[in-house]
Amino acid sequence: MGPHVSESALAGLVEDLAGEVYVPGDPGYDEARVIHNGMIDRRPAVIAQCASQADVSNAILFGREAELPIAVRGGGHSVAGTCVVDGALVVDLRRMHTVVVDPEDLTVRVEGGTMMGQMDHACAPFRLATTGGRVSTTGVGGFTLGGGSGWLERKFGLASDNLLAADLITAEGKHVHTDAEENPELFWALHGGGGNFGVATSLTLRLHELPRMSMAMLFFLPDDAPEIVRTFRDLAEGAPDGYGGGVIYMPAPAEPFVPEELVGRLVCGTLFTYAGPVGELREFAEPLFALRPVVEIVQDVPYAELQSMLDDPPGLRNYWSAEYLTGFPDEAVDQYCARGAAIPAGTATQHVLFMLGGAVAGGAARWPQPWRTAPWAVHPFATWEDPALDEPAVQWVRDVRADARPWAVDSVYLNFVGVEGEQRVVNSFGEENYRRLAAVKAQYDPDNVFRHNHNIVPTTS
């Protein structure tokens, strides 16, 4: 425990919470502090696993009284590991995961600790969906409040575009509700501003009818990668909004659909997802089939299943970043392919290029996310197991960013990056948006209690 935590105060927190409280030395403490990124090994002073909105309020008040730093954990997928902090109070929301689907109003209400897979599976019987993360173990709360990029974004917008209402506990331990009419400035700030303004205990999201979903994942040997990537680019630039997808360099995974002789070898993959039948998708993607893929997975697929196909195992070491691009000309293709061929050996690193546009670009003027006008995003996603590979893996990610600089915009989707400096945060909102966000921050968290994130510093004047 930290120096400010008295035994009586801790006993009071234990009595007040319907959930569980862990401190160093308790059975279950080490399990409770583990997050997705294996590089993060931090020891909070107190972990409060909250089971209700009242628990969240009580935990925050306890942390402030004890003068502890306060971190908030939803899914635990932040690459920077900001949801666990040495010597801090962690407000852990994972026990709060109720999902309520209203198929008539086309809405879903989720508690703050809900995982993406829990929401997707609850919506599936109604053939309804909203834009979700591409990994089922992502937390819905942090994903949505950070913007929320996923396979359905070109058709239905970002996850935050589908945010209808939220309930937060502020730094003062008070409940506040926000929607387009009630506390509208806070509502605006939650469309990309992240967890800067309070702890989100529930979110209400718009749902969409999704009767069909299909995918075409093709793996190629990397010898002809520039032609493959250019073909994908040309298809993507003319794709209707129902299509999503990207290109990926990666070591071929040990999956049943991958021939044994390819497992572990570098491949260049393309993926198109489509909110429609597989026959139409195959016809659209025909120019890629003509390039002789060595693996083809082309099928109708339930959305919830698609969402978990790229799940990566927890506990690996992770370092990611991203750049959003004004375009993807042939020179950029060549740079992308050259860096893909240089993925560090011995890692499970993925070199990802996402197609954007469609509904993503539509909300750029309305919300504080200027990066969404970019048609492409490059997302170097380094994962590995051996700590001896830390330096080459991290350097490779930085090299990808340097390669993309001639076409990069200043702004970036912050959920894709770790700690990259205050200016990176300011640029990602734009200076005018950042000033407006800082004013909202000053209203709801003037002391910057919720600062262990991509932080927005409250206006002091």
Side-chain angles (χ1 to χ4, degrees), residues 69-138:
I70 296 177
V72 182
R73 175 171 185 161
H77 247 265
S78 161
V79 67
T82 54
C83 58
V84 287
V85 175
D86 285 330
L89 165 71
V90 173
V91 179
D92 187 337
L93 303 177
R94 285 177 293 168
R95 291 173 180 259
M96 301 173 62
H97 52 74
T98 300
V99 180
V100 179
V101 179
D102 188 331
E104 294 188 2
D105 285 348
L106 296 180
T107 62
V108 58
R109 183 181 181 275
V110 301
E111 289 190 300
T114 304
M115 300 294 116
M116 197 63 61
Q118 293 169 325
M119 182 179 73
D120 291 337
H121 283 284
C123 296
F126 306 100
R127 294 193 173 187
L128 298 173
T130 194
T131 302
R134 300 175 178 91
V135 177
S136 68
T137 54
T138 302

Side-chain angles (χ1 to χ4, degrees), residues 107-112 140-141 144-145 159-168 175-184 186-188 190-191 200-206 367:
T107 62
V108 58
R109 183 181 181 275
V110 301
E111 289 190 300
V140 177
T144 302
L145 298 181
S160 57
D161 294 340
N162 294 283
L163 180 64
L164 300 175
D167 291 282
L168 276 69
H175 167 255
V176 62
H177 177 82
T178 181
D179 55 34
E181 296 182 354
E182 186 174 353
N183 299 308
L186 175 60
F187 187 65
W188 173 83
L190 296 182
H191 287 71
T201 55
S202 77
L203 305 173
T204 301
L205 300 167
R206 180 186 297 108
W367 306 115

Side-chain angles (χ1 to χ4, degrees), residues 130-384:
T130 194
T131 302
R134 300 175 178 91
V135 177
S136 68
T137 54
T138 302
V140 177
F143 170 79
T144 302
L145 298 181
S149 172
W151 300 128
L152 295 176
E153 64 191 0
R154 299 184 74 253
K155 186 171 181 63
F156 299 138
L158 302 176
S160 57
D161 294 340
N162 294 283
L163 180 64
L164 300 175
D167 291 282
L168 276 69
I169 300 297
T170 70
E172 300 297 327
K174 297 178 180 178
H175 167 255
V176 62
H177 177 82
T178 181
D179 55 34
E181 296 182 354
E182 186 174 353
N183 299 308
E185 195 69 0
L186 175 60
F187 187 65
W188 173 83
L190 296 182
H191 287 71
N196 274 284
F197 314 100
V199 179
T201 55
S202 77
L203 305 173
T204 301
L205 300 167
R206 180 186 297 108
L207 293 175
H208 305 269
E209 295 181 359
L210 190 66
R212 302 288 293 273
M213 195 78 195
S214 57
M215 58 164 286
M217 180 183 289
L218 310 179
F219 286 170
F220 301 83
L221 297 178
D223 301 352
D224 300 318
E227 181 182 8
I228 294 159
V229 177
R230 285 193 296 269
T231 301
F232 180 91
R233 175 200 62 191
D234 295 344
L235 285 169
E237 288 179 346
D241 291 355
Y243 286 89
V247 178
I248 184 169
Y249 269 88
M250 62 185 292
E255 298 286 352
F257 56 81
V258 176
E260 185 175 350
E261 64 271 16
L262 286 181
V263 172
R265 291 181 59 186
L266 188 66
V267 293
C268 177
T270 65
L271 172 65
F272 273 117
T273 64
Y274 178 49
V278 69
E280 294 179 8
L281 170 58
R282 178 179 279 277
E283 182 178 356
F284 170 80
E286 181 55 38
L288 284 169
F289 288 95
L291 297 177
R292 304 178 302 280
V294 292
V295 175
E296 299 181 13
I297 310 164
V298 188
Q299 61 188 40
D300 289 309
V301 58
Y303 177 64
E305 181 179 325
L306 172 66
Q307 288 284 79
S308 62
M309 288 186 68
L310 298 181
D311 283 4
D312 48 330
L316 293 177
R317 303 173 79 79
N318 282 249
Y319 187 81
W320 328 327
S321 192
E323 292 293 345
Y324 281 67
L325 311 179
T326 58
F328 200 58
D330 287 350
E331 184 180 354
V333 170
D334 293 341
Q335 288 271 35
Y336 171 81
C337 293
R339 193 62 63 188
I343 283 176
T347 73
T349 292
Q350 302 172 11
H351 189 24
V352 185
L353 174 76
F354 287 123
M355 57 185 286
L356 303 175
V360 177
R366 186 178 181 191
W367 306 115
Q369 303 155 327
W371 51 267
R372 56 192 294 164
T373 59
W376 295 97
V378 64
H379 180 34
F381 191 99
T383 60
W384 66 100

